[in-house]
Amino acid sequence: MKESDPVVVRKQTQNIQNFHIHPHQRKKVVRGNAFVSRPSRLDLRTLLSEDNPMRGFFTLFWIAMTFYTATTLYQNWRKEGVPLRLNFFFFISEDWIVLILSDFCLIFSCFMCVSIVKLFLGGWIPKAAIFPLQHLWQFSWFAACVYWVFHRDWPWVQSGFFVMHAIVMLMKQHSYLATNIEFMQKLDLLISVKENVHKLTSSLKRKDEISEDDSTSDTSYEEETSEIVALKEEIEQLEKDLNRPSISFPENVTHWNFWEYVSFPILVYDLEYPRTNMYNIFKLIVNVI
């Protein structure tokens, strides 16, 4: 059979779909870009606007905390002449300069993920090696972080902070690499499906030039027409997955885009996230406190 034969084209399309992406992944719902506020039950506005049955418990809890803090400050003043003992502060500030520098190195080493994706997009590394390289990098990076903790022999506070931050950044890297790998597979699938649509369309045009006396030709014509419709739906879904209103793949593979993702308090990577039209500084301060 020729490569442009409709039967071969349909088989190629089916093989590409089965190899690259599982069907349930192609049909996932794309999140909209409109931000919808989800107030917490602990927000002051929620407590004041709703008849919350737990409001009395929250009030009693903060009264007890205020009383405990006041008595602790008074007892420290009577025993040691200072309201706060700074022993714990000196304990957690041990080797703090090296800890801060190590944390900066931890963060900026994660930008290697952008270079890895760029190498695959540029064709410098075969795509068959993408999953081994991803997991090799993640394992080596996390092993180096754990080794550094043992090498510095920090107290439990510094060690716990550094290891927990390393775990968070490891999950961020995994999500970034896995998502962009999926986008690369979808982009390859999109190109292949478009090529197959072009082949099927050319085949239909040739059949239009042939006599319509053969009933088998009519059946084949209908099959190819329905195949083109299904492939166009596939193209529409893939383009929806790879594009957002403000950015699309692979234009998102930049260091600035990765820095935004790192600075967001979220573990799952996406092309863009819902945003408000303006910053609410008061709400930010209240949530931080």
Side-chain angles (χ1 to χ4, degrees):
M1 292 185 181
K2 296 181 179 180
E3 186 179 358
S4 59
D5 192 343
V7 177
V8 176
V9 171
R10 285 194 290 271
K11 288 183 178 180
Q12 290 175 345
T13 304
Q14 188 64 35
N15 291 336
I16 293 170
Q17 293 174 351
N18 293 336
F19 176 78
H20 283 290
I21 304 171
H22 196 273
H24 80 272
Q25 294 178 327
R26 298 196 303 273
K27 297 180 181 179
K28 68 180 183 180
V29 178
V30 178
R31 180 177 58 236
N33 196 37
F35 177 78
V36 179
S37 178
R38 294 177 292 179
S40 170
R41 288 289 182 181
L42 300 179
D43 287 344
L44 179 62
R45 184 179 302 176
T46 305
L47 294 174
L48 295 177
S49 61
E50 296 183 3
D51 187 14
N52 196 323
M54 298 296 293
R55 181 177 179 181
F57 172 78
F58 296 147
T59 304
L60 179 62
F61 170 78
W62 286 114
I63 291 176
M65 288 297 297
T66 303
F67 178 77
Y68 175 78
T69 303
T71 54
T72 301
L73 294 176
Y74 175 71
Q75 290 176 359
N76 289 339
W77 179 265
R78 285 191 58 187
K79 293 179 180 179
E80 303 183 12
V82 291
L84 288 176
R85 287 180 291 183
L86 302 179
N87 295 339
F88 184 73
F89 171 76
F90 292 127
F91 176 72
I92 65 176
S93 61
E94 180 180 339
D95 205 19
W96 65 274
I97 295 179
V98 176
L99 178 62
I100 292 176
L101 293 176
S102 301
D103 199 53
F104 273 113
C105 293
L106 180 147
I107 294 173
F108 287 107
S109 63
C110 298
F111 282 81
M112 183 65 182
C113 296
V114 182
S115 301
I116 292 175
V117 177
K118 284 181 175 290
L119 288 174
F120 284 106
L121 287 174
W124 295 94
I125 301 177
K127 293 184 178 180
I130 191 166
F131 286 108
L133 180 59
Q134 174 195 358
H135 294 290
L136 177 63
W137 163 251
Q138 291 174 180
F139 175 81
S140 303
W141 181 88
F142 189 69
C145 293
V146 175
Y147 166 79
W148 184 247
V149 172
F150 282 100
H151 175 72
R152 296 301 305 177
D153 194 21
W154 282 321
W156 66 269
V157 177
Q158 287 86 334
S159 300
F161 165 77
F162 192 82
V163 172
M164 291 299 295
H165 197 189
I167 292 174
V168 171
M169 298 307 296
L170 176 65
M171 290 188 288
K172 277 181 170 285
Q173 291 183 86
H174 176 77
S175 178
Y176 181 84
L177 289 172
T179 303
N180 279 285
I181 289 172
E182 180 183 351
F183 286 156
M184 282 191 284
Q185 293 174 339
K186 289 184 176 182
L187 183 61
D188 292 341
L189 177 60
L190 178 62
I191 295 173
S192 300
V193 173
K194 285 184 176 180
E195 291 177 354
N196 290 339
V197 169
H198 177 71
K199 293 176 182 178
L200 287 173
T201 304
S202 301
S203 175
L204 290 179
K205 290 181 179 179
R206 287 196 301 270
K207 287 188 177 182
D208 288 337
E209 300 174 356
I210 302 175
S211 175
E212 300 179 357
D213 296 337
D214 190 358
S215 58
T216 305
S217 177
D218 294 338
T219 304
S220 177
Y221 186 91
E222 293 177 358
E223 290 178 355
E224 292 180 23
T225 303
S226 61
E227 183 71 20
I228 290 176
V229 172
L231 291 177
K232 286 184 176 180
E233 292 178 356
E234 183 77 12
I235 291 174
E236 182 180 356
Q237 179 63 41
L238 290 170
E239 290 179 341
K240 185 178 180 181
D241 293 341
L242 295 173
N243 295 277
R244 299 293 188 275
S246 61
I247 196 171
S248 60
F249 181 83
E251 285 75 18
N252 65 303
V253 186
T254 61
H255 291 89
W256 175 251
N257 180 268
F258 184 77
W259 170 251
E260 283 189 330
Y261 167 59
V262 169
S263 61
F264 291 159
I266 193 169
L267 295 177
V268 180
Y269 177 77
D270 202 349
L271 288 174
E272 66 178 10
Y273 301 93
R275 300 173 184 251
T276 56
N277 296 327
M278 58 184 300
Y279 294 102
N280 191 336
I281 303 298
F282 175 75
K283 186 174 181 179
L284 176 62
I285 295 174
V286 170
N287 289 335
V288 169
I289 295 176

